[in-house]
Amino acid sequence: MGNIDKGVFFVKNDKVALELYDLNKKFVKFIYDGKNTAILTDENNEEYILENIVFEIRSLLKNGEDLMMLKNENNVVEEIYFLKVKIDDTLAYEDDFNEKSVKLFDEIKDFVDKSAV
């Protein structure tokens, strides 16, 4: 299972879009655990994990029917398509978003403190 490292969610009128960068993949399934993690499956049945979904997006994904996908290649949207959001709360992924975000904040703070003149 691969990881999705570059992507961003957009929201307008309670509709959610996901733009993925430089994967050069078209996905056919989006399974969401209702918390922190989603699994996307591409046309070759390869699975990719998307973690650390922010709280503001979570309820929209749980209540949404479709997710707009924006396929990005070299910072240009190459294709737009829609996926049905399937909720599977039996997926065994931990919701460690808070711990990871605090750790990242501390790392950024330390970097800024060391860089300050």
Side-chain angles (χ1 to χ4, degrees):
M1 184 177 298
N3 286 327
I4 296 175
D5 297 321
K6 291 182 178 181
V8 65
F9 283 102
F10 297 97
V11 177
K12 184 174 182 178
N13 298 329
D14 292 334
K15 301 290 184 192
V16 181
L18 174 57
E19 185 172 5
L20 299 177
Y21 298 95
D22 301 325
L23 265 180
N24 200 21
K25 300 272 183 185
K26 183 170 182 177
F27 294 96
V28 295
K29 274 200 279 188
F30 184 89
I31 301 172
Y32 177 51
D33 72 352
K35 299 175 287 200
N36 186 50
T37 307
I39 298 174
L40 288 99
T41 305
D42 72 8
E43 296 172 306
N44 299 319
N45 272 343
E46 293 179 50
E47 292 183 332
Y48 292 81
I49 190 167
L50 175 64
E51 296 180 289
N52 298 320
I53 297 171
V54 295
F55 290 101
E56 294 80 4
I57 300 298
R58 295 176 183 199
S59 63
L60 296 173
L61 286 176
K62 281 190 247 185
N63 296 328
E65 294 179 14
D66 293 323
L67 172 67
M68 179 187 286
M69 296 293 297
L70 307 170
K71 183 177 168 188
N72 182 311
E73 190 69 32
N74 297 319
N75 292 323
V76 175
V77 174
E78 295 287 332
E79 185 175 1
I80 298 172
Y81 58 97
F82 291 87
L83 294 176
K84 294 283 182 202
V85 176
K86 180 181 178 201
I87 306 295
D88 184 347
D89 58 4
T90 65
L91 297 176
Y93 292 102
E94 288 189 39
D95 190 357
D96 59 354
F97 179 81
N98 286 336
E99 293 84 6
K100 285 186 177 180
S101 61
V102 167
K103 181 180 176 195
L104 179 61
F105 175 79
D106 288 342
E107 289 173 2
I108 293 170
K109 183 180 177 303
D110 289 344
F111 176 78
V112 169
D113 288 347
K114 289 177 186 173
S115 301
V117 177

